[in-house]
Amino acid sequence: MRFAPSQENEAFAESLDDLLSRVGVVAAARAWAGGDSGPGRKVWAALADLGVTGLAIPEEHGGVGGDPVDLAVAFQALGYHGVPGPIVESIAVLPALLSDPGHLRSLADGAIGTVALAPRTPFLLDADVADLRFVVGPDGAVAEVKAPSTAPLGSVDRTRRLFPTELNDVLEGETAGRNLQNVVQSAEVAGAFAVAAQLLGAGRRLLDDTVEYAKARAQYGKAIGEYQAIKHLLADVATRLELAAPLLSGAAVALSGNASRGVDLDPARDVAAARVAAADAAYLAARTALQVHGAIGYTAEYDLGLWITKVRALQSAWGTQAEHRATVLDAVRKAAR
């Protein structure tokens, strides 16, 4: 059982970080929040060229055929750089849910997809921008729907526009060839896993930006980062993020099924544990970032807010903390019997 990224994973992470550092993600996120998806689509096109949008799609459908470790690497980078759009739904959930080769190839080529899967995820994220929109019914059947005709609901993260599902606007139906219940469960687990990785990346970005601010901001004649109280705050965040990372790696191993003989694999349990730890760590990073930055951290013009609001919104994306804690608790109880 391997918990450490391979050299290929590290090279991929470096390439993705270099790409996202060059394509103006922050400007694209601000434009996305303002209703202009043009810059964001350019970011998505660059991700497609690197193979990110096809990571979870089999090679025969134009994808990369990557494994969960690849997804963990990618979503940490996407979270660190604050890429806008339904990245979890398009890159992680829909490949686990869909079976139509045409839809899968479109996603691999960079089409933006979104999906609502009630009751865990009852709204279509960024449905006005998405090229493909799907709704999963109570029986597990997948239906493609038209672009929304209603206004979006509000979100603490202005880059996330939520739309109610409109089942009367169904374009076509798609029923997966596997057991429907298993398919839907796999899609939900994939969503929670991707959100955990995204939160871990966002938490690390908040920590890095706050450390840099603490080095530069002077108070009473010296940088505030030299004060023991600030050091303790930042050390607590770093510790929580580092403790969440192995849980994410363990979840990736569980999802891949590549464990040592005799190891108990439970993807739902392990993903839920990673999701709880990553969300708690990222939330602590956001609160600490605000505390260290002070009033400037609350301003809309300051880039820090892009990650703070995203972390807050992702706390309930693809399952709440309470739901994921309940999943872990149920697994522990069953193991103790």
Side-chain angles (χ1 to χ4, degrees):
M1 180 165 48
R2 183 176 178 83
F3 285 91
S6 65
Q7 290 184 345
E8 290 79 8
N9 295 140
E10 293 175 350
F12 173 51
E14 185 177 343
S15 298
L16 186 51
D17 181 72
D18 179 65
L19 169 69
L20 294 174
S21 297
R22 292 186 286 103
V23 294
V25 176
V26 170
R30 291 193 177 280
W32 193 282
D36 178 10
S37 63
R41 284 188 174 276
K42 291 180 179 179
V43 174
W44 276 73
L47 292 173
D49 290 340
L50 196 60
V52 176
T53 56
L55 269 180
I57 296 174
E59 293 183 24
E60 60 264 30
H61 299 316
V64 175
D67 60 23
V69 176
D70 296 319
L71 281 175
V73 169
F75 274 97
Q76 286 179 78
L78 296 172
Y80 187 91
H81 290 276
V83 174
I87 55 175
V88 170
E89 292 74 12
S90 191
I91 300 174
V93 178
L94 285 175
L97 191 65
L98 301 179
S99 60
D100 180 80
H103 288 146
L104 292 173
R105 187 169 293 276
S106 294
L107 292 172
D109 290 341
I112 299 175
T114 190
V115 60
L117 206 162
R120 175 155 288 184
T121 307
F123 301 110
L124 285 166
L125 175 62
D126 295 320
D128 56 336
V129 175
D131 305 299
L132 299 170
R133 311 162 196 86
F134 297 91
V135 174
V136 180
D139 58 353
V142 183
E144 187 176 1
V145 297
K146 298 178 183 178
S149 58
T150 58
L153 303 173
S155 172
V156 66
D157 177 5
R158 293 181 61 236
T159 66
R160 293 171 60 86
R161 292 187 300 279
L162 305 173
F163 292 84
T165 57
E166 300 177 49
L167 291 174
N168 56 321
D169 287 336
V170 172
L171 290 175
E172 62 182 69
E174 172 177 327
T175 300
R178 296 165 288 170
N179 181 281
L180 293 177
Q181 185 177 359
N182 290 343
V183 172
V184 172
Q185 183 179 16
S186 296
E188 289 181 333
V189 170
F193 176 71
V195 169
Q198 187 181 5
L199 280 165
L200 190 57
R204 284 174 171 159
R205 176 59 179 264
L206 285 163
L207 176 61
D208 287 351
D209 286 355
T210 305
V211 168
E212 290 305 311
Y213 179 81
K215 290 178 180 178
R217 176 75 166 90
Q219 190 73 28
Y220 301 115
K222 63 179 181 179
I224 62 173
E226 295 182 27
Y227 291 101
Q228 199 71 13
I230 299 297
K231 290 180 179 180
H232 285 168
L233 289 173
L234 298 176
D236 286 344
V237 173
T239 300
R240 293 286 287 274
L241 290 170
E242 288 304 310
L243 288 174
L247 290 174
L248 183 67
S249 298
V253 171
L255 285 171
S256 66
N258 184 26
S260 300
R261 183 176 301 176
V263 174
D264 175 33
L265 289 180
D266 187 340
R269 175 201 63 196
D270 295 344
V271 167
R275 169 64 164 73
V276 168
D280 282 349
Y283 191 65
L284 178 63
R287 289 176 60 88
T288 301
L290 274 177
Q291 186 174 357
V292 173
H293 279 79
I296 192 173
Y298 288 89
T299 62
E301 295 80 12
Y302 200 63
D303 289 343
L304 185 78
L306 294 173
W307 281 270
I308 289 176
T309 55
K310 187 172 294 295
V311 165
R312 181 64 185 88
L314 289 176
Q315 293 290 307
S316 58
W318 291 97
T320 64
Q321 290 292 81
E323 289 172 329
H324 290 299
R325 285 192 173 96
T327 297
V328 176
L329 179 59
D330 288 344
V332 172
R333 284 174 173 168
K334 288 178 182 178
R337 291 174 186 170

